[in-house]
Amino acid sequence: MLQLKKIKYKHMKPSYMLFIVLLITFSSTSQILKKPLPEKLVVLTFDDAPASQYSVVAPLLKEFGFGATFFVCEFPPNYKDSTLYMNWRQIKALDHMGFEIANHTQTHANVAKLSPKEFHKELAYIENKCDSLGLSQPTNFAYPGYGLNAEVLPLLQARGYQFARAGGSRIYNPLEDHPFLIPSWATNATNKAEIMLALNKAKAGSIVVLTLHGVPDIEHPWVDTPPELFKEYLQYLARNNFTVISLRELSAYINIEKAKELIQPDLNKALSN
Ligand SMILES: [Zn+2]
């Protein structure tokens, strides 16, 4: 593909140019996608390990047969309060139930403010915890508080991470968005209209990734999703035949290393809301 840059485009006929553009588009599509994405594809992600993810979220997801990713951390200062947060025995139970356990740093650290050494320490804590408890090794990451900077991307790659989820409130297009800058919508108690609009953007080629916190979230009420609202979302997804999966299940559709090779990470797009 690099060879094409050497061709003198200005001497080309427009129809030939169009052919080359189509060829490049087709070629990167066929390289990045292992198989066509289904319509109505939704990825559910849950952050911060609040207690209700074990007691409310997991049983409901099982009832509906939906997959999900849980980005866990030990949120200071009250992580040890089991009325607020899941303990590691409960996190392990989610892993055994088939859900994905992924890395949200040890202390919910803003990665934009960490040195590479501190970042490694934050990631390694969750990796070691999973290893010592016999959980699957985390391969996906979510930026705490959506803080990110360009230096973090090679560090995630060096530790073998596949996807990293950010915010941004827009669809995830695997042909345009770098796997370390996956956009998502965050739910709260008052943005049902926005989330319903988002779900309807899950057309062929566009994946909707949702970020949820506690259901309910006692410790962080600004990211609370009331259980009744959560049930409504699940019923809507089931009734309308959405495919609802975890982030790691996207690897069935996306050639992640090829996507990283072909897509330039766009930090400005990822940071804009
Ligand atoms: Zn978080």
Coordinates of all heavy atoms in Angstrom, one line a residue, residues 42-47 53 57 146 165 169 184-196 198-199 208-217 220-226 229-230 233 237:
V42 N -24.0 -4.4 20.1 CA -23.8 -3.6 21.3 C -22.8 -4.3 22.3 O -22.9 -5.5 22.5 CB -25.1 -3.3 22.1 CG1 -24.9 -2.7 23.4 CG2 -26.0 -2.4 21.2
V43 N -21.8 -3.5 22.7 CA -20.8 -4.0 23.7 C -21.2 -3.3 25.1 O -21.3 -2.1 25.2 CB -19.4 -3.6 23.3 CG1 -18.4 -4.0 24.4 CG2 -19.0 -4.4 22.0
L44 N -21.4 -4.1 26.1 CA -21.7 -3.6 27.4 C -20.4 -3.6 28.3 O -19.8 -4.7 28.4 CB -22.8 -4.4 28.1 CG -24.2 -4.3 27.6 CD1 -25.1 -5.2 28.4 CD2 -24.7 -2.9 27.5
T45 N -20.1 -2.5 28.9 CA -18.9 -2.4 29.8 C -19.4 -1.8 31.1 O -20.2 -0.9 31.1 CB -17.8 -1.6 29.2 OG1 -18.1 -0.3 29.0 CG2 -17.3 -2.2 27.8
F46 N -18.8 -2.3 32.2 CA -19.2 -1.9 33.5 C -17.9 -1.5 34.3 O -17.0 -2.3 34.4 CB -19.9 -3.0 34.3 CG -21.3 -3.3 33.6 CD1 -21.3 -4.2 32.6 CD2 -22.4 -2.7 34.1 CE1 -22.5 -4.5 32.0 CE2 -23.6 -3.0 33.5 CZ -23.7 -3.9 32.4
D47 N -17.9 -0.3 34.8 CA -16.6 0.2 35.4 C -16.7 0.3 36.9 O -17.8 0.4 37.5 CB -16.4 1.7 34.9 CG -15.9 1.7 33.5 OD1 -16.2 0.7 32.8 OD2 -15.4 2.8 33.0
Q53 N -22.9 -4.5 40.8 CA -22.6 -5.2 39.6 C -22.6 -6.7 39.8 O -22.9 -7.5 38.9 CB -21.2 -4.8 39.0 CG -21.3 -3.4 38.5 CD -19.9 -2.9 37.9 OE1 -18.9 -3.5 37.9 NE2 -19.9 -1.6 37.4
V57 N -26.4 -6.6 38.4 CA -26.1 -6.6 37.0 C -25.9 -8.0 36.5 O -26.5 -8.5 35.5 CB -24.9 -5.7 36.7 CG1 -24.4 -5.9 35.3 CG2 -25.2 -4.3 37.0
Y146 N -11.6 8.7 31.9 CA -11.3 9.0 30.4 C -10.1 9.9 30.2 O -9.9 10.5 29.2 CB -12.5 9.8 29.8 CG -13.8 9.0 29.9 CD1 -15.0 9.7 30.3 CD2 -13.9 7.7 29.6 CE1 -16.2 9.0 30.4 CE2 -15.1 7.0 29.8 CZ -16.2 7.7 30.2 OH -17.4 7.0 30.3
R165 N -10.8 1.2 26.1 CA -12.1 1.9 25.9 C -12.0 3.3 26.5 O -11.5 3.5 27.6 CB -13.2 1.2 26.6 CG -14.6 1.6 26.1 CD -15.6 1.6 27.3 NE -15.1 2.6 28.3 CZ -15.3 2.4 29.6 NH1 -15.8 1.3 30.1 NH2 -14.8 3.3 30.4
S169 N -18.9 9.6 23.6 CA -20.3 9.6 23.2 C -20.5 9.5 21.7 O -21.2 10.4 21.1 CB -21.1 10.8 23.8 OG -20.9 10.9 25.1
S184 N -17.2 5.4 23.7 CA -18.4 4.8 24.3 C -19.3 5.9 24.8 O -18.9 7.1 25.0 CB -18.0 3.9 25.5 OG -17.5 4.7 26.6
W185 N -20.6 5.5 25.1 CA -21.5 6.4 25.8 C -21.7 5.9 27.2 O -21.7 4.7 27.5 CB -22.9 6.2 25.2 CG -23.2 7.1 24.0 CD1 -23.7 8.4 24.1 CD2 -23.1 6.8 22.6 NE1 -23.9 8.9 22.8 CE2 -23.6 7.9 21.9 CE3 -22.7 5.6 21.9 CZ2 -23.6 7.9 20.5 CZ3 -22.8 5.7 20.5 CH2 -23.2 6.8 19.8
A186 N -21.7 6.9 28.2 CA -21.9 6.5 29.6 C -23.3 6.8 30.0 O -23.9 7.8 29.6 CB -21.0 7.4 30.5
T187 N -23.9 5.8 30.7 CA -25.3 6.0 31.1 C -25.4 6.6 32.5 O -24.4 6.5 33.3 CB -26.0 4.6 31.3 OG1 -25.4 3.9 32.3 CG2 -25.9 3.8 30.0
N188 N -26.4 7.3 32.7 CA -26.7 7.8 34.1 C -28.2 7.8 34.3 O -29.0 7.4 33.4 CB -26.1 9.2 34.3 CG -26.6 10.3 33.4 OD1 -27.8 10.4 33.2 ND2 -25.7 11.1 32.9
A189 N -28.7 8.4 35.4 CA -30.1 8.3 35.7 C -31.0 9.1 34.8 O -32.2 8.9 34.8 CB -30.3 8.6 37.2
T190 N -30.4 10.1 34.2 CA -31.2 11.1 33.4 C -31.0 11.1 31.9 O -31.6 11.9 31.2 CB -30.9 12.5 33.9 OG1 -29.6 12.8 33.7 CG2 -31.3 12.7 35.4
N191 N -30.1 10.2 31.4 CA -29.9 10.3 29.9 C -30.5 9.2 29.1 O -29.9 8.8 28.1 CB -28.4 10.5 29.6 CG -27.5 9.3 29.9 OD1 -28.0 8.3 30.5 ND2 -26.3 9.3 29.4
K192 N -31.6 8.7 29.5 CA -32.3 7.6 28.7 C -32.5 8.0 27.3 O -32.2 7.2 26.4 CB -33.6 7.3 29.4 CG -34.3 6.1 28.7 CD -35.7 5.9 29.3 CE -36.5 5.0 28.4 NZ -37.9 4.8 28.9
A193 N -32.9 9.2 27.0 CA -33.2 9.6 25.6 C -31.9 9.5 24.8 O -31.9 9.0 23.6 CB -33.8 11.0 25.6
E194 N -30.8 10.0 25.3 CA -29.5 10.0 24.6 C -29.1 8.5 24.4 O -28.6 8.2 23.3 CB -28.5 10.7 25.5 CG -27.1 10.8 24.8 CD -26.0 11.3 25.7 OE1 -26.3 11.7 26.8 OE2 -24.9 11.2 25.2
I195 N -29.3 7.7 25.4 CA -28.8 6.3 25.2 C -29.7 5.5 24.2 O -29.2 4.7 23.4 CB -28.9 5.5 26.6 CG1 -27.9 6.2 27.6 CG2 -28.6 4.0 26.4 CD1 -26.4 6.2 27.1
M196 N -31.0 5.8 24.2 CA -31.9 5.2 23.2 C -31.5 5.6 21.8 O -31.5 4.8 20.8 CB -33.4 5.5 23.5 CG -33.9 5.0 24.8 SD -33.6 3.2 25.0 CE -34.8 2.5 23.8
A198 N -28.5 6.5 20.9 CA -27.3 5.8 20.6 C -27.5 4.4 20.2 O -26.9 4.0 19.2 CB -26.4 5.9 21.9
L199 N -28.4 3.7 20.9 CA -28.6 2.3 20.5 C -29.1 2.2 19.1 O -28.8 1.2 18.4 CB -29.6 1.6 21.5 CG -29.1 1.5 22.9 CD1 -30.2 0.9 23.8 CD2 -27.9 0.5 22.9
V208 N -22.1 0.0 19.0 CA -22.4 0.9 20.1 C -21.8 0.3 21.4 O -22.1 -0.8 21.7 CB -23.9 1.2 20.3 CG1 -24.2 1.9 21.6 CG2 -24.4 2.0 19.1
V209 N -20.9 1.0 22.0 CA -20.3 0.6 23.3 C -20.9 1.4 24.4 O -20.8 2.7 24.3 CB -18.7 0.7 23.3 CG1 -18.1 0.2 24.6 CG2 -18.1 0.0 22.0
L210 N -21.4 0.8 25.4 CA -22.0 1.5 26.5 C -21.1 1.4 27.8 O -20.6 0.3 28.0 CB -23.4 1.0 26.9 CG -24.5 1.3 25.9 CD1 -25.8 0.8 26.5 CD2 -24.6 2.7 25.5
T211 N -20.9 2.4 28.5 CA -20.2 2.4 29.8 C -21.2 2.6 30.9 O -21.9 3.6 30.9 CB -19.2 3.5 29.9 OG1 -18.1 3.3 28.9 CG2 -18.5 3.6 31.2
L212 N -21.3 1.6 31.8 CA -22.2 1.7 32.9 C -21.3 1.6 34.2 O -20.2 1.1 34.2 CB -23.2 0.6 33.0 CG -24.3 0.7 31.8 CD1 -23.9 -0.3 30.7 CD2 -25.7 0.3 32.3
H213 N -21.9 2.1 35.3 CA -21.2 2.0 36.6 C -22.1 1.2 37.5 O -22.6 0.2 37.1 CB -20.9 3.4 37.1 CG -19.9 4.2 36.2 ND1 -20.2 4.8 35.0 CD2 -18.6 4.4 36.4 CE1 -19.2 5.3 34.5 NE2 -18.1 5.1 35.3
G214 N -22.5 1.7 38.7 CA -23.3 0.9 39.5 C -24.8 0.9 39.1 O -25.3 1.9 38.6
V215 N -25.5 -0.2 39.4 CA -26.9 -0.3 39.1 C -27.6 -0.8 40.4 O -27.9 -2.0 40.5 CB -27.1 -1.3 37.9 CG1 -28.6 -1.4 37.6 CG2 -26.3 -0.9 36.7
P216 N -27.8 0.1 41.4 CA -27.5 1.5 41.4 C -26.1 1.8 41.8 O -25.4 0.9 42.2 CB -28.5 2.0 42.5 CG -28.5 0.9 43.4 CD -28.5 -0.4 42.6
D217 N -25.7 3.1 41.7 CA -24.3 3.4 42.2 C -24.4 4.4 43.4 O -24.8 5.5 43.2 CB -23.6 4.1 41.0 CG -22.1 4.0 41.3 OD1 -21.6 4.4 42.4 OD2 -21.3 3.6 40.4
H220 N -21.1 6.8 43.7 CA -20.9 7.9 42.7 C -22.3 8.1 42.0 O -22.5 7.6 40.9 CB -19.9 7.4 41.7 CG -18.6 7.1 42.3 ND1 -18.0 5.9 42.3 CD2 -17.7 7.9 43.0 CE1 -16.8 5.9 42.9 NE2 -16.6 7.1 43.3
P221 N -23.2 8.9 42.7 CA -24.6 9.0 42.2 C -24.7 9.7 40.8 O -25.6 9.5 40.1 CB -25.3 9.9 43.3 CG -24.2 10.4 44.1 CD -23.0 9.5 44.0
W222 N -23.6 10.4 40.4 CA -23.7 11.1 39.1 C -23.5 10.1 37.9 O -23.8 10.4 36.8 CB -22.7 12.2 39.0 CG -21.2 11.8 39.3 CD1 -20.3 11.3 38.4 CD2 -20.6 11.7 40.6 NE1 -19.2 11.0 39.0 CE2 -19.3 11.2 40.3 CE3 -21.0 11.9 41.9 CZ2 -18.4 10.9 41.4 CZ3 -20.1 11.7 42.9 CH2 -18.8 11.2 42.7
V223 N -23.1 8.9 38.2 CA -23.1 7.8 37.2 C -24.0 6.7 37.6 O -23.8 5.5 37.1 CB -21.6 7.3 36.9 CG1 -20.8 8.4 36.1 CG2 -20.9 6.9 38.2
D224 N -25.0 7.0 38.3 CA -26.0 6.0 38.8 C -26.9 5.5 37.6 O -27.3 6.4 36.8 CB -26.8 6.6 39.9 CG -28.0 5.7 40.2 OD1 -27.8 4.5 40.5 OD2 -29.2 6.2 40.3
T225 N -27.1 4.2 37.5 CA -28.2 3.7 36.6 C -29.1 3.0 37.4 O -28.8 1.9 38.0 CB -27.6 2.8 35.5 OG1 -26.6 3.5 34.7 CG2 -28.7 2.4 34.5
P226 N -30.4 3.5 37.6 CA -31.3 2.8 38.4 C -31.6 1.4 37.9 O -31.7 1.3 36.7 CB -32.6 3.7 38.4 CG -32.1 5.0 37.9 CD -30.9 4.8 37.1
L229 N -34.3 1.2 35.1 CA -33.9 1.7 33.8 C -33.0 0.7 33.2 O -33.1 0.5 31.9 CB -33.1 3.1 34.0 CG -32.6 3.7 32.8 CD1 -33.7 4.0 31.8 CD2 -31.9 5.0 33.2
F230 N -32.1 0.1 33.9 CA -31.2 -1.0 33.4 C -32.0 -2.1 32.8 O -31.7 -2.6 31.7 CB -30.3 -1.4 34.5 CG -29.3 -2.5 34.0 CD1 -28.4 -2.2 33.0 CD2 -29.2 -3.7 34.6 CE1 -27.5 -3.1 32.6 CE2 -28.3 -4.7 34.2 CZ -27.4 -4.4 33.1
Y233 N -33.4 -1.2 29.5 CA -32.4 -1.3 28.4 C -32.3 -2.7 27.9 O -32.3 -3.0 26.8 CB -31.1 -0.7 28.8 CG -31.0 0.8 29.0 CD1 -30.2 1.4 30.0 CD2 -31.7 1.6 28.1 CE1 -30.2 2.7 30.2 CE2 -31.6 3.0 28.3 CZ -30.8 3.6 29.3 OH -30.8 4.9 29.5
L237 N -33.1 -4.3 24.3 CA -32.0 -5.0 23.5 C -32.5 -6.4 23.1 O -32.3 -6.8 21.9 CB -30.7 -5.0 24.2 CG -30.0 -3.7 24.5 CD1 -28.9 -3.9 25.5 CD2 -29.5 -3.1 23.2

